[in-house]
mmCIF file of all heavy atoms in Angstrom:
data_model
loop_
_atom_site.group_PDB
_atom_site.id
_atom_site.type_symbol
_atom_site.label_atom_id
_atom_site.label_comp_id
_atom_site.label_asym_id
_atom_site.label_seq_id
_atom_site.Cartn_x
_atom_site.Cartn_y
_atom_site.Cartn_z
ATOM 1 N N TRP A 16 -8.704 -14.658 6.350
ATOM 2 C CA TRP A 16 -7.317 -14.558 6.776
ATOM 3 C C TRP A 16 -6.439 -14.012 5.662
ATOM 4 O O TRP A 16 -5.558 -13.184 5.905
ATOM 5 C CB TRP A 16 -6.804 -15.926 7.223
ATOM 6 C CG TRP A 16 -7.139 -16.227 8.640
ATOM 7 C CD1 TRP A 16 -8.240 -16.894 9.098
ATOM 8 C CD2 TRP A 16 -6.392 -15.838 9.787
ATOM 9 N NE1 TRP A 16 -8.201 -16.954 10.451
ATOM 10 C CE2 TRP A 16 -7.075 -16.322 10.909
ATOM 11 C CE3 TRP A 16 -5.203 -15.152 9.963
ATOM 12 C CZ2 TRP A 16 -6.616 -16.126 12.196
ATOM 13 C CZ3 TRP A 16 -4.739 -14.958 11.242
ATOM 14 C CH2 TRP A 16 -5.443 -15.437 12.341
ATOM 15 N N VAL A 17 -6.672 -14.468 4.457
ATOM 16 C CA VAL A 17 -5.877 -13.991 3.320
ATOM 17 C C VAL A 17 -6.130 -12.498 3.100
ATOM 18 O O VAL A 17 -5.189 -11.706 2.948
ATOM 19 C CB VAL A 17 -6.199 -14.812 2.050
ATOM 20 C CG1 VAL A 17 -5.561 -14.181 0.832
ATOM 21 C CG2 VAL A 17 -5.721 -16.245 2.217
ATOM 22 N N LEU A 18 -7.394 -12.097 3.103
ATOM 23 C CA LEU A 18 -7.717 -10.672 2.939
ATOM 24 C C LEU A 18 -7.203 -9.850 4.115
ATOM 25 O O LEU A 18 -6.754 -8.715 3.934
ATOM 26 C CB LEU A 18 -9.218 -10.493 2.765
ATOM 27 C CG LEU A 18 -9.799 -11.032 1.467
ATOM 28 C CD1 LEU A 18 -11.327 -10.911 1.474
ATOM 29 C CD2 LEU A 18 -9.216 -10.317 0.269
ATOM 30 N N GLY A 19 -7.245 -10.430 5.299
ATOM 31 C CA GLY A 19 -6.702 -9.739 6.475
ATOM 32 C C GLY A 19 -5.213 -9.508 6.367
ATOM 33 O O GLY A 19 -4.705 -8.458 6.752
ATOM 34 N N ALA A 20 -4.496 -10.482 5.820
ATOM 35 C CA ALA A 20 -3.044 -10.323 5.634
ATOM 36 C C ALA A 20 -2.756 -9.209 4.641
ATOM 37 O O ALA A 20 -1.848 -8.386 4.854
ATOM 38 C CB ALA A 20 -2.434 -11.640 5.155
ATOM 39 N N LEU A 21 -3.524 -9.153 3.568
ATOM 40 C CA LEU A 21 -3.324 -8.086 2.580
ATOM 41 C C LEU A 21 -3.718 -6.722 3.153
ATOM 42 O O LEU A 21 -3.050 -5.716 2.906
ATOM 43 C CB LEU A 21 -4.106 -8.394 1.314
ATOM 44 C CG LEU A 21 -3.627 -9.636 0.552
ATOM 45 C CD1 LEU A 21 -4.546 -9.923 -0.624
ATOM 46 C CD2 LEU A 21 -2.195 -9.488 0.100
ATOM 47 N N ALA A 22 -4.788 -6.686 3.942
ATOM 48 C CA ALA A 22 -5.194 -5.433 4.586
ATOM 49 C C ALA A 22 -4.140 -4.973 5.593
ATOM 50 O O ALA A 22 -3.870 -3.775 5.716
ATOM 51 C CB ALA A 22 -6.544 -5.607 5.274
ATOM 52 N N LEU A 23 -3.524 -5.925 6.286
ATOM 53 C CA LEU A 23 -2.464 -5.588 7.225
ATOM 54 C C LEU A 23 -1.314 -4.901 6.502
ATOM 55 O O LEU A 23 -0.752 -3.919 6.991
ATOM 56 C CB LEU A 23 -1.968 -6.853 7.927
ATOM 57 C CG LEU A 23 -0.805 -6.690 8.892
ATOM 58 C CD1 LEU A 23 -1.226 -5.846 10.088
ATOM 59 C CD2 LEU A 23 -0.323 -8.055 9.353
ATOM 60 N N TYR A 24 -0.973 -5.368 5.321
ATOM 61 C CA TYR A 24 0.092 -4.730 4.554
ATOM 62 C C TYR A 24 -0.294 -3.321 4.125
ATOM 63 O O TYR A 24 0.549 -2.426 4.114
ATOM 64 C CB TYR A 24 0.481 -5.585 3.346
ATOM 65 C CG TYR A 24 1.690 -6.395 3.651
ATOM 66 C CD1 TYR A 24 1.594 -7.565 4.377
ATOM 67 C CD2 TYR A 24 2.947 -5.958 3.273
ATOM 68 C CE1 TYR A 24 2.715 -8.293 4.696
ATOM 69 C CE2 TYR A 24 4.060 -6.685 3.585
ATOM 70 C CZ TYR A 24 3.951 -7.846 4.298
ATOM 71 O OH TYR A 24 5.065 -8.535 4.616
ATOM 72 N N ALA A 25 -1.556 -3.129 3.782
ATOM 73 C CA ALA A 25 -1.996 -1.779 3.412
ATOM 74 C C ALA A 25 -1.890 -0.835 4.607
ATOM 75 O O ALA A 25 -1.421 0.303 4.477
ATOM 76 C CB ALA A 25 -3.427 -1.820 2.889
ATOM 77 N N VAL A 26 -2.286 -1.304 5.777
ATOM 78 C CA VAL A 26 -2.212 -0.477 6.983
ATOM 79 C C VAL A 26 -0.760 -0.181 7.347
ATOM 80 O O VAL A 26 -0.404 0.951 7.691
ATOM 81 C CB VAL A 26 -2.949 -1.172 8.152
ATOM 82 C CG1 VAL A 26 -2.665 -0.493 9.476
ATOM 83 C CG2 VAL A 26 -4.441 -1.199 7.883
ATOM 84 N N ILE A 27 0.099 -1.182 7.248
ATOM 85 C CA ILE A 27 1.512 -0.980 7.555
ATOM 86 C C ILE A 27 2.147 -0.015 6.561
ATOM 87 O O ILE A 27 2.928 0.860 6.936
ATOM 88 C CB ILE A 27 2.256 -2.323 7.592
ATOM 89 C CG1 ILE A 27 1.810 -3.120 8.811
ATOM 90 C CG2 ILE A 27 3.762 -2.124 7.595
ATOM 91 C CD1 ILE A 27 2.283 -4.548 8.831
ATOM 92 N N SER A 28 1.788 -0.140 5.298
ATOM 93 C CA SER A 28 2.315 0.772 4.283
ATOM 94 C C SER A 28 1.903 2.210 4.593
ATOM 95 O O SER A 28 2.718 3.126 4.511
ATOM 96 C CB SER A 28 1.796 0.352 2.905
ATOM 97 O OG SER A 28 2.247 1.237 1.928
ATOM 98 N N TYR A 29 0.638 2.401 4.961
ATOM 99 C CA TYR A 29 0.171 3.731 5.327
ATOM 100 C C TYR A 29 0.910 4.231 6.570
ATOM 101 O O TYR A 29 1.318 5.392 6.627
ATOM 102 C CB TYR A 29 -1.334 3.734 5.585
ATOM 103 C CG TYR A 29 -1.830 5.051 6.107
ATOM 104 C CD1 TYR A 29 -2.007 6.124 5.242
ATOM 105 C CD2 TYR A 29 -2.077 5.238 7.459
ATOM 106 C CE1 TYR A 29 -2.437 7.352 5.720
ATOM 107 C CE2 TYR A 29 -2.502 6.455 7.944
ATOM 108 C CZ TYR A 29 -2.677 7.504 7.079
ATOM 109 O OH TYR A 29 -3.093 8.708 7.550
ATOM 110 N N GLY A 30 1.100 3.355 7.551
ATOM 111 C CA GLY A 30 1.788 3.748 8.785
ATOM 112 C C GLY A 30 3.220 4.195 8.531
ATOM 113 O O GLY A 30 3.685 5.174 9.108
ATOM 114 N N LEU A 31 3.919 3.473 7.662
ATOM 115 C CA LEU A 31 5.292 3.863 7.331
ATOM 116 C C LEU A 31 5.325 5.194 6.585
ATOM 117 O O LEU A 31 6.191 6.039 6.831
ATOM 118 C CB LEU A 31 5.974 2.774 6.511
ATOM 119 C CG LEU A 31 6.275 1.472 7.259
ATOM 120 C CD1 LEU A 31 6.786 0.419 6.293
ATOM 121 C CD2 LEU A 31 7.267 1.713 8.376
ATOM 122 N N ALA A 32 4.377 5.397 5.671
ATOM 123 C CA ALA A 32 4.318 6.662 4.942
ATOM 124 C C ALA A 32 3.961 7.812 5.890
ATOM 125 O O ALA A 32 4.530 8.908 5.799
ATOM 126 C CB ALA A 32 3.300 6.571 3.811
ATOM 127 N N TYR A 33 3.040 7.563 6.815
ATOM 128 C CA TYR A 33 2.659 8.585 7.792
ATOM 129 C C TYR A 33 3.847 8.963 8.670
ATOM 130 O O TYR A 33 4.121 10.142 8.898
ATOM 131 C CB TYR A 33 1.504 8.076 8.662
ATOM 132 C CG TYR A 33 1.091 9.041 9.742
ATOM 133 C CD1 TYR A 33 0.193 10.057 9.454
ATOM 134 C CD2 TYR A 33 1.615 8.956 11.025
ATOM 135 C CE1 TYR A 33 -0.179 10.960 10.433
ATOM 136 C CE2 TYR A 33 1.252 9.849 12.008
ATOM 137 C CZ TYR A 33 0.345 10.853 11.708
ATOM 138 O OH TYR A 33 -0.012 11.744 12.673
ATOM 139 N N ARG A 34 4.584 7.948 9.159
ATOM 140 C CA ARG A 34 5.729 8.218 10.014
ATOM 141 C C ARG A 34 6.802 9.009 9.270
ATOM 142 O O ARG A 34 7.390 9.953 9.813
ATOM 143 C CB ARG A 34 6.309 6.904 10.526
ATOM 144 C CG ARG A 34 7.418 7.120 11.534
ATOM 145 C CD ARG A 34 7.995 5.828 11.962
ATOM 146 N NE ARG A 34 8.749 5.292 10.822
ATOM 147 C CZ ARG A 34 9.526 4.239 10.885
ATOM 148 N NH1 ARG A 34 9.626 3.580 11.999
ATOM 149 N NH2 ARG A 34 10.190 3.827 9.826
ATOM 150 N N ALA A 35 7.031 8.667 8.014
ATOM 151 C CA ALA A 35 8.027 9.391 7.227
ATOM 152 C C ALA A 35 7.606 10.846 7.034
ATOM 153 O O ALA A 35 8.435 11.759 7.144
ATOM 154 C CB ALA A 35 8.225 8.714 5.880
ATOM 155 N N ARG A 36 6.328 11.071 6.753
ATOM 156 C CA ARG A 36 5.853 12.448 6.571
ATOM 157 C C ARG A 36 5.901 13.249 7.867
ATOM 158 O O ARG A 36 6.256 14.427 7.864
ATOM 159 C CB ARG A 36 4.415 12.436 6.023
ATOM 160 C CG ARG A 36 4.349 12.152 4.562
ATOM 161 C CD ARG A 36 5.145 13.201 3.843
ATOM 162 N NE ARG A 36 4.949 13.097 2.425
ATOM 163 C CZ ARG A 36 5.142 14.086 1.594
ATOM 164 N NH1 ARG A 36 5.539 15.255 2.031
ATOM 165 N NH2 ARG A 36 4.978 13.918 0.312
ATOM 166 N N ALA A 37 5.558 12.606 8.975
ATOM 167 C CA ALA A 37 5.592 13.298 10.264
ATOM 168 C C ALA A 37 7.029 13.662 10.640
ATOM 169 O O ALA A 37 7.278 14.748 11.163
ATOM 170 C CB ALA A 37 4.963 12.425 11.344
ATOM 171 N N ARG A 38 7.973 12.777 10.356
ATOM 172 C CA ARG A 38 9.380 13.069 10.652
ATOM 173 C C ARG A 38 9.935 14.184 9.789
ATOM 174 O O ARG A 38 10.833 14.898 10.197
ATOM 175 C CB ARG A 38 10.228 11.817 10.458
ATOM 176 C CG ARG A 38 10.093 10.845 11.577
ATOM 177 C CD ARG A 38 11.043 9.707 11.401
ATOM 178 N NE ARG A 38 11.000 8.833 12.552
ATOM 179 C CZ ARG A 38 11.662 7.715 12.641
ATOM 180 N NH1 ARG A 38 12.430 7.315 11.645
ATOM 181 N NH2 ARG A 38 11.567 6.965 13.706
ATOM 182 N N ARG A 39 9.408 14.311 8.577
ATOM 183 C CA ARG A 39 9.874 15.383 7.693
ATOM 184 C C ARG A 39 9.236 16.722 8.033
ATOM 185 O O ARG A 39 9.528 17.723 7.398
ATOM 186 C CB ARG A 39 9.544 15.039 6.239
ATOM 187 C CG ARG A 39 10.431 13.972 5.675
ATOM 188 C CD ARG A 39 10.165 13.819 4.199
ATOM 189 N NE ARG A 39 10.233 12.413 3.842
ATOM 190 C CZ ARG A 39 9.496 11.814 2.938
ATOM 191 N NH1 ARG A 39 8.602 12.497 2.264
ATOM 192 N NH2 ARG A 39 9.634 10.546 2.688
ATOM 193 N N GLY A 40 8.318 16.730 8.995
ATOM 194 C CA GLY A 40 7.713 17.978 9.438
ATOM 195 C C GLY A 40 6.523 18.429 8.612
ATOM 196 O O GLY A 40 6.237 19.619 8.538
ATOM 197 N N SER A 41 5.812 17.503 8.017
ATOM 198 C CA SER A 41 4.638 17.848 7.218
ATOM 199 C C SER A 41 3.553 18.423 8.116
ATOM 200 O O SER A 41 3.337 17.965 9.235
ATOM 201 C CB SER A 41 4.112 16.596 6.512
ATOM 202 O OG SER A 41 2.905 16.877 5.854
ATOM 203 N N SER A 42 2.856 19.437 7.623
ATOM 204 C CA SER A 42 1.776 20.026 8.416
ATOM 205 C C SER A 42 0.527 19.134 8.415
ATOM 206 O O SER A 42 -0.286 19.212 9.322
ATOM 207 C CB SER A 42 1.431 21.416 7.885
ATOM 208 O OG SER A 42 1.025 21.326 6.527
#
Side-chain angles (χ1 to χ4, degrees):
W16 275 93
V17 171
L18 292 175
L21 295 175
L23 177 66
Y24 262 80
V26 169
I27 290 170
S28 178
Y29 174 78
L31 291 173
Y33 177 85
R34 186 183 71 171
R36 282 301 189 157
R38 283 186 175 176
R39 286 187 218 145
S41 174
S42 59

